[in-house]
Amino acid sequence: ENVLNPKLLTQENREILKNTIAKGKPYPYGIFKDFMNKDFMLNVKSELLNLERTFKETDLFKLAQSPDFANIDLNPDAASQLPNILKLREILYSVEFRNFMSEITQCGPLTEKTDMAGNVYSKGCHLLTHDDVIGTRKISYIIYLSDEGWEEKDGGHLELYESENEIPLPTPSA
């Protein structure tokens, strides 16, 4: 079963995304709405919420995080409980999807090295302003699995900030 939205990989959509990402301010970025089958993503969310998560808190974030999905299949018991998360990982790690992302972001070839974990933000949790420049990372992604009926006033959406001298300006620009 193909859970990717068939429109996502069309040449027409690739051109739209490539142009949108290139014009993104303050940094190149794109938003893919409904890029996967809704029922599949609800199953991913269910598996994530049923996973044992580790509470983590630093000066940057406060959240509950899943184990690293990059190595989850090393534990056959855990892997058998996460068929949808493993399918999502398989799609995101696939050569086809990496080539698609490379094309629309114009970032060059992407390696097989992909980090993937699930974070659950409940009331009082947060992720503060930061940059995602880490080592050789070329792309960062967030897949929101918000509850039905989520509205922007509920918070938790992505905000991008311009910076001066590596200090974020106080108001998001996107």
Side-chain angles (χ1 to χ4, degrees), residues 29-47:
Y29 74 95
I31 298 173
F32 306 173
K33 292 189 179 202
D34 304 319
F35 84 109
M36 288 201 180
N37 174 286
K38 183 177 178 178
D39 290 335
F40 171 73
M41 294 309 290
L42 288 172
N43 289 335
V44 167
K45 180 179 179 177
S46 176
E47 289 175 7

Side-chain angles (χ1 to χ4, degrees), residues 79-98:
S80 69
Q81 303 299 311
L82 307 171
N84 295 289
I85 288 174
L86 290 176
K87 184 169 181 79
L88 175 62
R89 184 190 72 177
E90 177 184 314
I91 291 166
L92 297 176
Y93 285 28
S94 72
V95 171
E96 178 185 27
F97 195 77
R98 285 185 286 132

Side-chain angles (χ1 to χ4, degrees), residues 9-158:
L9 302 177
T10 64
Q11 193 56 45
E12 178 184 1
N13 195 53
R14 288 172 189 255
E15 292 302 319
I16 291 168
L17 289 170
K18 189 186 305 183
N19 290 329
T20 302
I21 290 167
K23 293 177 184 173
K25 297 289 180 205
Y27 313 103
Y29 74 95
I31 298 173
F32 306 173
K33 292 189 179 202
D34 304 319
F35 84 109
M36 288 201 180
N37 174 286
K38 183 177 178 178
D39 290 335
F40 171 73
M41 294 309 290
L42 288 172
N43 289 335
V44 167
K45 180 179 179 177
S46 176
E47 289 175 7
L48 178 61
L49 291 175
N50 287 317
L51 269 178
E52 187 172 317
R53 297 176 302 277
T54 304
F55 179 77
K56 296 184 174 188
E57 184 172 13
T58 70
D59 58 343
L60 178 64
F61 57 79
K62 181 178 178 181
L63 53 84
Q65 187 172 60
S66 75
D68 179 3
F69 295 132
N71 301 311
I72 199 77
D73 45 359
L74 297 177
N75 179 340
D77 291 334
S80 69
Q81 303 299 311
L82 307 171
N84 295 289
I85 288 174
L86 290 176
K87 184 169 181 79
L88 175 62
R89 184 190 72 177
E90 177 184 314
I91 291 166
L92 297 176
Y93 285 28
S94 72
V95 171
E96 178 185 27
F97 195 77
R98 285 185 286 132
N99 288 342
F100 165 73
M101 292 301 295
S102 176
E103 177 187 339
I104 66 170
T105 62
Q106 300 293 288
C107 71
L110 297 172
T111 68
E112 293 178 10
K113 173 89 173 94
T114 306
D115 296 327
M116 182 176 157
N119 295 333
V120 176
Y121 297 88
S122 52
K123 189 173 180 82
C125 290
H126 62 272
L127 177 61
L128 298 179
T129 305
H130 65 284
D131 69 40
D132 273 351
V133 179
I134 299 174
T136 59
R137 182 182 292 171
K138 292 183 177 182
I139 295 175
S140 294
Y141 64 90
I142 301 168
I143 300 174
Y144 285 97
L145 299 172
S146 304
D147 291 333
E148 241 355 275
W150 176 89
E151 296 179 10
E152 194 158 327
K153 69 178 175 62
D154 296 327
H157 52 279
L158 177 65

